[in-house]
Amino acid sequence: MRHSDMAHPPHVHNAAPGDASTTGLRPPAVYALWIGYFAIACLTIGVFAAALPLRYGVLRDACAGANCGATAAYLVTLDTLSALVWLALSLLVLWRRPGDRVGLFTALTLLTFGVARFPDTPLALSAAYPAWSLPVEALRFLGSACLSIFVFVFPDGRFAPRQTRWIATVWIAAQIPEFFFSSSIASSNGWPSWLRFAGFFGFVVVAITAQVWRYRAISTSRQRLQTRWAV
């Protein structure tokens, strides 16, 4: 990408005729979203980095064996490599689709889910410093909420079928107690493991079914290629 492309992001980036998946934004909106993305990125990366030594200590202390230090270091390294891959993919999408709203949302989803939500590392920070509980849980919830929407709107940014917007809304609302009111009766943390698995499995089946329907019924050739790359 040329430097001029980054300095002045186009309204529509890499658009193909008749392709509704590329929805450009005006430069002021793009700049505002970039600022928001990088603010969240700085907080997410900072939380993850600060939690790494704490996570190492938790894993080492919970270990029962002769090589606890090595085991803890190995697991922390795996979490770090995983987070770096998600972060790299997020930055790649942002670089390739800087003026596209779906691209920006994809980048945010990869960042928050893969760095804050998917690994357990950030929880070590909130466990050691309760004042960080709200920011950590907010980032983890954001990652989960973004992914819950992403699976229904990728690659064109629209819910398809339309009914999936209500499924996403209910699924996100059901997760609020889990992150912010973990001790309440509404939180799934206290549910039997089989019930939690059933709910998660049901959501996954619905998400996959919606993507298959979208792919076969309404996706353009370009959108089908984007879906295959995502898979």
Side-chain angles (χ1 to χ4, degrees):
M1 175 174 292
R2 300 187 304 273
H3 175 74
S4 60
D5 290 335
M6 292 298 294
H8 302 286
H11 289 201
V12 178
H13 187 75
N14 290 339
D19 183 8
S21 67
T22 304
T23 305
L25 297 167
R26 294 182 180 276
V30 172
Y31 296 142
L33 291 174
W34 281 359
I35 293 172
Y37 171 88
F38 283 111
I40 294 174
C42 289
L43 177 60
T44 302
I45 296 171
V47 165
F48 186 88
L52 280 177
L54 299 171
R55 174 68 169 165
Y56 171 81
V58 170
L59 293 172
R60 182 194 57 198
D61 295 342
C63 174
N67 299 315
C68 290
T71 301
Y74 171 73
L75 294 174
V76 167
T77 300
L78 286 182
D79 278 355
T80 303
L81 291 176
S82 173
L84 287 175
V85 169
W86 285 90
L87 177 61
L89 289 173
S90 175
L91 293 174
L92 177 63
V93 171
L94 187 68
W95 175 61
R96 292 289 297 172
R97 308 299 288 267
D100 182 88
R101 63 183 179 88
V102 178
L104 287 166
F105 181 70
T106 300
L108 179 65
T109 299
L110 292 168
L111 167 71
T112 54
F113 182 80
V115 181
R117 175 66 179 98
F118 180 66
D120 291 328
T121 300
L123 290 175
L125 180 64
S126 59
Y129 302 98
W132 278 94
S133 295
L134 183 58
V136 168
E137 293 302 330
L139 287 173
R140 297 179 71 238
F141 173 73
L142 180 61
S144 185
C146 285
L147 187 70
S148 300
I149 296 172
F150 176 81
V151 294
F152 292 122
V153 303
F154 184 81
D156 65 357
R158 298 180 177 89
F159 283 97
R162 292 183 178 180
Q163 294 84 348
T164 55
R165 70 181 61 193
W166 304 114
I167 297 174
T169 299
V170 171
W171 181 251
I172 292 172
Q175 295 178 77
I176 293 177
E178 175 187 350
F179 292 99
F180 300 107
F181 309 99
S182 58
S183 60
S184 69
I185 191 173
S187 173
S188 61
N189 293 325
W191 297 358
S193 57
W194 66 266
L195 183 58
R196 297 185 65 181
F197 175 78
F200 175 75
F201 182 75
F203 177 80
V204 171
V205 169
V206 171
I208 293 176
T209 301
Q211 277 294 329
V212 170
W213 180 87
R214 175 197 292 273
Y215 185 90
R216 295 173 60 90
I218 65 174
S219 290
T220 64
S221 58
R222 182 181 178 87
Q223 291 167 358
R224 291 183 178 183
L225 177 61
Q226 292 172 330
T227 301
R228 290 197 295 271
W229 271 107
V231 171

